[in-house]
Amino acid sequence: MAQKEDRLVKDQPTEKPAEPGPLAAYKGDKPPAPIWFETAVSKPYETGYAECRGARIHYQRWGDRSKPGLLLVHGNGAHGHWWDFVAPYLTDEYHVAAMTFSGMGDSNWREAYDMETFAQEQLAVADATGMFDVAQKPIIVAHSFGGFVTILTGAEYGDQLTGTVIVDSPVNPPDRQRPSKRRTARNHRIYPDLAAALGRFRLAPPQPCENHYVMDYIARWSLKEVHGDEPGWTWKFDPAIWRSFNIGRSSADCLRETQCRIAIFRGEQSVLMPDYVRDYMTHLLDRQVPFITIPEARHHVMLDQPLAFVSALRTLLQEWTYSAPKRAVPARTM
């Protein structure tokens, strides 16, 4: 499925430019990075595509295919390379893959998008990488928007999984929910050079992040070079994803109906996951579910505190390896 380059527009100097992001100060140079990060992102991996409903879904894969599968899933407008510095730390025990949803990163764009298709894309990548060919069923670890997809996957297809780990994906109580608004699809700008494009990169929702080396790494994978009469750089994700997106089932209902083990991670300073959200999600699950808070992390947990996140995730996965899940109890209505 071809990328729709007609959704790109040239950066127009007559328009008021957005405020520069934190990477602008580096003028296209890479920020200094610690050795652990450079070592992690230099680990070799295999790339491939899974076919799902007429689109090719990109993935990276690390480790031994004979080990249990661990599928890493990104958030809205992101891509699988958000996990490149996390995945190598998990390969001792797992065969790890990081996928990219359609309309984002290096996966194909679609004419329309919906939550069920994204859930099917998760299963397609797990199947294409051989995760269903080993005795232990795979585990999905998913951040932000990817967590909402995974909540659906756990409800609809949880019998095919060992468990799901939902990272800072808030299911709000009814009295705290905001009515959904129709989003306008804004065309991407084309920036004259890579430095200019990197200087506009920001996290969404907005937050400070001291680890500029991580932001720079994922920003470079978020961009593509365009050629023709007006060459430059622009974003890879499809700006029309939310034009008529079909959310489908409520996340609260899906959380209640999770058919596999589940754990919830949040950033201690995340504006999306305050205590009342934790309490409501725990109530919906109505069972002993790990709810793990990462200190000094905001919404983008693995960017803010990557090594703390890895340590907590390793601990959880080890506990799941050597314990049996508690029997689920039907949730009470609230």
Side-chain angles (χ1 to χ4, degrees):
M1 183 178 293
Q3 299 272 334
K4 303 179 181 65
E5 300 294 343
D6 57 326
R7 294 181 189 169
L8 310 178
V9 295
K10 184 69 177 175
D11 192 8
Q12 299 179 17
T14 56
E15 296 179 3
K16 182 180 179 180
E19 290 296 320
L23 300 180
Y26 298 96
K27 299 180 179 179
D29 293 334
K30 293 183 179 181
I35 293 175
W36 73 262
F37 179 83
E38 297 287 6
T39 301
V41 298
S42 68
K43 292 290 185 182
Y45 54 79
E46 173 188 293
T47 61
Y49 289 90
E51 297 288 336
C52 183
R53 298 186 174 183
R56 298 206 313 159
I57 308 305
H58 188 262
Y59 65 81
Q60 301 100 258
R61 189 194 66 77
W62 297 257
D64 185 348
R65 288 176 179 266
S66 67
K67 293 180 179 180
L70 187 66
L71 179 63
L72 306 177
V73 182
H74 62 84
N76 176 34
H79 45 75
H81 291 287
W82 279 57
W83 297 101
D84 285 0
F85 49 92
V86 171
Y89 284 98
L90 305 170
T91 56
D92 284 351
E93 303 289 337
Y94 290 91
H95 165 216
V96 184
M99 65 169 289
T100 298
F101 288 124
S102 58
M104 307 182 205
D106 294 318
S107 293
N108 286 161
W109 292 8
R110 298 183 184 274
E111 291 297 331
Y113 301 86
D114 61 81
M115 197 70 89
E116 171 62 25
T117 296
F118 284 151
Q120 289 291 330
E121 290 175 7
Q122 292 183 324
L123 299 178
V125 171
D127 185 49
T129 54
M131 291 186 179
F132 293 129
D133 297 336
V134 297
Q136 183 173 317
K137 299 175 183 178
I139 294 170
I140 301 178
V141 180
H143 175 243
S144 193
F145 171 74
F148 293 112
V149 177
T150 304
I151 290 171
L152 173 63
T153 305
E156 297 286 347
Y157 309 105
D159 59 333
Q160 301 180 46
L161 305 172
T162 289
T164 59
V165 181
I166 310 302
V167 183
D168 222 78
S169 307
V171 178
N172 288 291
D175 61 343
R176 299 277 188 154
Q177 293 179 5
R178 297 178 180 178
S180 59
K181 297 180 180 179
R182 184 179 179 85
R183 302 192 188 188
T184 302
R186 299 175 61 184
N187 290 332
H188 288 323
R189 295 182 180 277
I190 299 177
Y191 299 97
D193 52 48
L194 180 59
L198 290 170
R200 299 302 178 190
F201 181 79
R202 294 176 183 78
L203 298 175
Q207 66 157 75
C209 178
E210 296 178 357
N211 297 330
H212 291 174
Y213 58 91
V214 180
M215 291 185 64
D216 179 83
Y217 181 84
I218 62 176
R220 290 173 188 270
W221 281 107
S222 303
L223 290 159
K224 62 183 177 181
E225 189 172 10
V226 293
H227 305 279
D229 294 337
E230 296 179 310
W233 292 80
T234 194
W235 309 109
K236 290 181 179 178
F237 72 88
D238 184 352
I241 288 177
W242 300 102
R243 181 180 292 162
S244 58
F245 187 82
N246 184 356
I247 293 293
R249 301 181 58 196
S250 80
S251 294
D253 289 344
C254 291
L255 204 59
R256 289 190 190 97
E257 297 171 19
T258 299
Q259 299 184 55
C260 57
R261 302 187 85 161
I262 184 170
I264 313 295
F265 279 43
R266 69 165 177 171
E268 185 177 52
Q269 298 178 17
S270 172
V271 298
L272 302 183
M273 293 284 284
D275 289 347
Y276 70 81
V277 173
R278 174 200 61 198
D279 295 342
Y280 180 64
M281 293 176 73
T282 301
H283 165 81
L284 289 173
L285 290 161
D286 201 22
R287 48 181 161 161
Q288 294 297 317
V289 171
F291 208 114
I292 299 164
T293 300
I294 305 298
E296 298 299 313
R298 296 178 173 84
H299 172 65
H300 298 93
V301 179
M302 64 278 202
L303 274 58
D304 298 322
Q305 296 294 330
L307 295 181
F309 175 78
V310 166
S311 180
L313 181 58
R314 278 174 161 180
T315 302
L316 172 74
L317 296 175
Q318 279 289 302
E319 196 281 330
W320 276 3
T321 298
Y322 296 106
S323 68
K326 291 181 179 291
R327 185 178 180 182
V329 179
R332 300 181 298 273
T333 57
M334 178 179 266

